[in-house]
Amino acid sequence: MSGNMNLTLKVWRQKDTKSSGKMVTYKAESISPDMSFLEMLDVVNESLTLKGDEPIHFDHDCREGICGMCSLYINGRPHGAKSAITTCQLHMRSFHDGETITIEPWRAGPFPVIKDLIVDRSSFDRIQQAGGFVSVNTGGVPDANIIPIPKVIADEAFNSATCIGCGACVAACKKRFGYAVCIG
């Protein structure tokens, strides 16, 4: 046996910003567990193209987990069920043969759908271009190792430093009572 998987994909398809979208079901067959999620979408798109159908549009750039472009909701969670990884780092071995996978674009007002799984990230990009940043007070500037930083503050600083600007935090948060409550 090859160990390859056959999956059912329920993919959000939307012609453009003005059109209403809908979920469309596709079969992903003979998928290697070693493929990344985006490679799996490439295989599905190749199959669609060979049949004369329009491929599924999705964003990607580096495919190395550092650009943040591969922003998808997979089975109801940004980047899928694994934590601290991007969609391009998600491998198909995280799924099971015969599984149904739901794939949607970010679902947040700041990210309107452009086409299929591609969202307009310009609102988030403008924040970054304006110099938006996360600041964590870690104390003064004497020597880096003279004053120990409490673990809680160091962890917060490290978590902020790992941000790649993908927007998952915005897509995962629901606004309630005038402030954001993260659910992701």
Side-chain angles (χ1 to χ4, degrees), residues 21-157:
K22 65 179 180 176
M23 297 301 282
V24 178
T25 303
Y26 298 99
K27 294 292 181 188
E29 297 174 329
S30 298
I31 301 300
S32 167
D34 296 325
M35 284 181 185
S36 76
F37 198 86
L38 297 183
E39 289 172 322
M40 179 273 300
L41 287 176
D42 289 339
V43 168
V44 171
N45 276 346
E46 186 176 332
S47 171
L48 290 172
T49 302
L50 289 172
K51 289 192 267 183
D53 293 336
E54 186 171 5
I56 301 163
H57 292 78
F58 62 96
D59 257 333
H60 59 89
D61 191 10
C62 72
R63 295 193 182 212
E64 295 178 1
I66 58 175
C67 76
M69 293 300 295
C70 58
S71 40
L72 298 175
Y73 248 78
I74 302 167
N75 289 339
R77 294 197 45 163
H79 303 302
K82 299 243 179 200
S83 61
I85 65 168
T86 56
T87 301
C88 62
Q89 295 172 309
L90 180 64
H91 285 85
M92 298 314 296
R93 61 182 157 264
S94 300
F95 301 94
H96 300 87
D97 186 35
E99 188 170 346
T100 297
I101 302 170
T102 302
I103 310 166
E104 301 173 86
W106 283 157
R107 298 292 187 181
F111 298 127
V113 175
I114 294 174
K115 184 175 180 95
D116 294 342
L117 302 172
I118 298 174
V119 297
D120 180 351
R121 301 169 48 85
S122 62
S123 61
F124 205 70
D125 294 339
R126 283 191 301 276
I127 292 169
Q128 292 176 337
Q129 290 167 357
F133 60 93
V134 176
S135 177
V136 178
N137 184 4
T138 57
V141 258
D143 183 319
N145 295 318
I146 290 178
I147 302 172
I149 306 300
K151 180 160 178 34
V152 173
I153 294 173
D155 287 347
E156 185 179 346

